[in-house]
Amino acid sequence: MRDWVQSYLAEHKRVVDSIDVDSVTALIDLLREARQDGRTLFACGNGGSAANASHLAVDLGKGASLGRPRRFRVLSLNDNAPYLTSLGNDMSYDDVFVEQLINLAAPRDLLLCMSVSGNSPNVIKALQWANDHDLETIGLGSNRGGRLAELAQHGILIDDTHFGRVEDAHMHICHMLCYAFMENE
């Protein structure tokens, strides 16, 4: 088991080391501009990516906002279980993110989607709607690419397909997006 742990950590380090610094920096600049303009960042994903979207919303909304003159407007589309389940039940699970955006999003807001497969139907539908309605779209995916890589205006693809490592790398990026403001402003 020790060898497996060492191997897992070695692969994890390789994946983290492959994160493109310039792409993360560009996303930080995009978030800074959105905060300055009072635009909202919506985040979403499924499974572990949903957890990462919620974590990002907490860190930006609280950690990178409290005590600062400009606060982030941020919402995880995963966090209202009654809303999600009613949309999923009465319409389709494919609609759980896009229907919230229709109610809440305005032109120039941001949508950040995370998907290891890059093909989650509810994420893809949200990205398509956001692109059609003048939102800026961000995709965090894997080297599987998928439709997410085609649709996201800004994005980072992690050089792996292992769900755990890719989701961990996405969380590294989310933490950098937040801590850039917590530790530098």
Side-chain angles (χ1 to χ4, degrees):
M1 191 51 66
R2 187 175 198 287
D3 290 342
W4 178 85
V5 170
Q6 285 182 314
S7 175
Y8 188 95
L9 288 173
E11 280 299 301
H12 184 74
K13 288 175 188 173
R14 178 194 62 77
V15 168
V16 170
D17 287 344
S18 76
I19 296 171
D20 184 68
V21 172
D22 291 333
S23 295
V24 175
T25 303
L27 293 181
I28 293 166
D29 292 340
L30 185 63
L31 291 182
R32 180 177 288 111
E33 181 183 307
R35 181 189 61 182
Q36 182 62 34
D37 295 344
R39 294 184 278 152
T40 301
L41 170 68
F42 299 96
C44 66
N46 294 290
S49 296
N52 283 349
S54 295
H55 194 141
L56 172 66
V58 168
D59 284 353
L60 274 179
K62 178 183 159 279
S65 291
L66 288 179
R68 292 172 171 79
R70 300 293 281 176
R71 289 178 170 231
F72 280 98
R73 296 173 48 91
V74 58
L75 180 68
S76 169
L77 298 175
N78 298 99
D79 288 341
N80 188 334
Y83 198 8
L84 281 172
T85 58
S86 69
L87 290 168
N89 184 63
D90 297 344
M91 299 178 78
S92 165
Y93 191 69
D94 294 356
D95 297 317
V96 297
F97 301 139
V98 71
E99 287 296 325
Q100 292 182 74
L101 290 172
I102 290 168
N103 284 10
L104 300 171
R108 299 195 67 234
D109 282 344
L110 284 72
L111 173 64
L112 187 152
C113 297
M114 292 177 256
S115 174
V116 178
S117 74
N119 289 311
S120 299
N122 55 5
V123 167
I124 299 308
K125 197 165 188 177
L127 279 168
Q128 290 170 321
W129 185 90
N131 284 334
D132 290 344
H133 290 85
D134 200 27
L135 276 72
E136 290 197 59
T137 56
I138 303 164
L140 300 183
S142 72
N143 63 9
R144 295 174 192 226
R147 296 275 296 138
L148 175 113
E150 298 168 15
L151 292 169
Q153 298 160 2
H154 311 274
I156 301 174
L157 299 180
I158 302 304
D159 186 25
D160 209 318
T161 59
H162 183 279
F163 276 77
R165 284 191 289 270
V166 172
E167 290 170 351
D168 284 349
H170 289 172
M171 197 64 240
H172 280 288
I173 293 166
C174 289
H175 272 143
M176 286 187 278
L177 296 179
C178 299
Y179 280 88
F181 298 96
M182 288 192 250
E183 295 181 353
N184 294 296
E185 295 186 356

